[in-house]
Amino acid sequence: MSNAKETIESGRAVLGLEFGSTRIKAVLIDEDSKPIAQGAHDWENRLEDGIWTYHLEDIWTGLQECYGRLTEDVKNQYGVTVKRLAAMGFSGMMHGYMAFDKAGELLVPFRTWRNTITADAAAALTEEFQFNIPQRWSIAHLYQAILNQEAHVKEIDFFTTLAGYIHWKLSGEKVLGVGEASGMFPIDAKTHDYHAKMTAQFDALVSDRELPWKLTDLLPRVLQAGEAAGVLTAEGAKLLDVSGNLEPGVPMCPPEGDAGTGMAATNSVAVRTGNVSAGTSVFAMVVLEEELKALHEELDMVTTPAGDAVAMVHCNNCTSDLNAWVGLFKEFADAFGVSADMDALYGTLYRKALEGAKDCGGLVSYNYFSGEPITGTNEGRPLFVRRPDAKLTLANFMRSHLYASLATLKLGLDILMKEEKVKVDRIYGHGGLFKTKGVGQGILAAAMNAPVAVMKTAGEGGPWGMALLAAYMVNKTDSETFEQYLSHKVFAAGADDGEVLEPDAADVAGFDAYIEDYKKVLAAEKAAIANYC
């Protein structure tokens, strides 16, 4: 405690803060990269006029509340006030669309990654570039707005992601880390910058629209891990810390997306490593040894925070439907006067799933709160289906919903592993799905047919990963890569390598059988979307 107190008082602590889909989380780390304080704030997106969004007020009140709770934690633990920091960094849910005019005013409500409203634009750009452009990418949102002839397009002076927006307002710098930038527009693996040929293709594609800008005029500047990205301004310090205690001038690292922070937090930035982040959404990241042989619309090509090529499978839905069912069981318990702790309830139900049939006994679930481009659905209708002779037990029911949380991910991963023959030595799991020991981990191992490791930080790794990126910027040696920094200084011998679970052959076969049923019943999900409005 005395060392942590001294670290904070002397201004040597580093802050990482991440805007997830349902929680904003902050972590303060010491000089050994160990968390010494944390704070959090719950928030939720809104569906307004058919758009998933957060209000600007939600962003700033959430940020201030989260940081305030971190400083309260510091005060309660160590009896000191946070006044100075060695470095800081901000990350957020990847992609989406925030467009601003010359006065810095938001032109249209923030369009998050969760929206599936850019199918025409994504398909056209994928064809034009011969490079997969997912619907949630910022460039797809921009081009869809152009196709829709939205009035705001000619007024755009700058567009960015949530992480880029927060960083800009706190530092004055319009920049992005390369990993986050790769979710705005394709990155050239050689230059670690926006792909010049594709930016020219885009400008040519919209040349008849009489727009007053070129694409590169609007995009944030790209930075790699370790580069300086500005400092906390006096105005930024007031936005972050309403108490006024935090001094400006804190060095800031490039803002990243939650995919990049997950890679950092699990030491998954080297080739043949990967990680799966499973919460409201789920995505898998695998660092590639070589380029993929073919274009696959199910696979996104992004980068690590250092700019190395990564294949990504991203799914909009993961635990929201699962959480809703757990909430129903909580309501049932309350009706009987039984007070059930939510953590205990999750653990009990998740572990019950392990008793279920390997193929879920004829039960199939779709967890689609929103659309899933991988399966060609543009909206969500949570759906549970069973055959009349299916074995409807609690164990099979819970197992089917846990399978459903990773089913769409598995469809994409099967392409990566079985068709492209990509090799992965180990996958690290992190996020809420892995909090109950061995359950989500085992199901992911079955889905991928690969060993899965889960670290102690599995539930809250994102802000810690962002703090590691900030610490790297100020602590690295001249020639030290981010991969080397993580391996030698953060995950050195004796560090938490995670508990590894090998895939069980029966579980693998069971998940494969479930997926075959899942594909067959997908027509019912699409019919529900088309007819149940």
Short mmCIF file of all heavy atoms in Angstrom, two decimals, residues 90 103 468 476:
data_model
loop_
_atom_site.label_atom_id
_atom_site.label_comp_id
_atom_site.label_asym_id
_atom_site.label_seq_id
_atom_site.Cartn_x
_atom_site.Cartn_y
_atom_site.Cartn_z
N PHE A 90 -7.14 6.49 -23.70
CA PHE A 90 -8.58 6.26 -23.75
C PHE A 90 -8.92 5.33 -24.92
O PHE A 90 -8.40 5.49 -26.02
CB PHE A 90 -9.34 7.58 -23.89
CG PHE A 90 -9.17 8.47 -22.70
CD1 PHE A 90 -8.09 9.32 -22.59
CD2 PHE A 90 -10.09 8.42 -21.66
CE1 PHE A 90 -7.91 10.12 -21.48
CE2 PHE A 90 -9.92 9.22 -20.53
CZ PHE A 90 -8.83 10.07 -20.45
N ALA A 103 -17.06 23.96 -36.82
CA ALA A 103 -17.18 24.52 -35.46
C ALA A 103 -17.04 23.43 -34.39
O ALA A 103 -17.11 23.73 -33.20
CB ALA A 103 -18.51 25.23 -35.31
N LEU A 468 -1.67 -0.21 -20.28
CA LEU A 468 -0.39 -0.77 -20.73
C LEU A 468 0.13 -0.02 -21.95
O LEU A 468 1.34 0.22 -22.08
CB LEU A 468 -0.55 -2.25 -21.06
CG LEU A 468 -0.91 -3.19 -19.91
CD1 LEU A 468 -1.03 -4.63 -20.41
CD2 LEU A 468 0.11 -3.10 -18.78
N LYS A 476 9.11 2.77 -22.61
CA LYS A 476 9.85 1.92 -23.55
C LYS A 476 11.26 2.45 -23.78
O LYS A 476 11.55 3.65 -23.65
CB LYS A 476 9.10 1.84 -24.89
CG LYS A 476 9.14 3.13 -25.70
CD LYS A 476 8.36 2.98 -26.99
CE LYS A 476 8.57 4.13 -27.95
NZ LYS A 476 8.49 5.46 -27.41
#
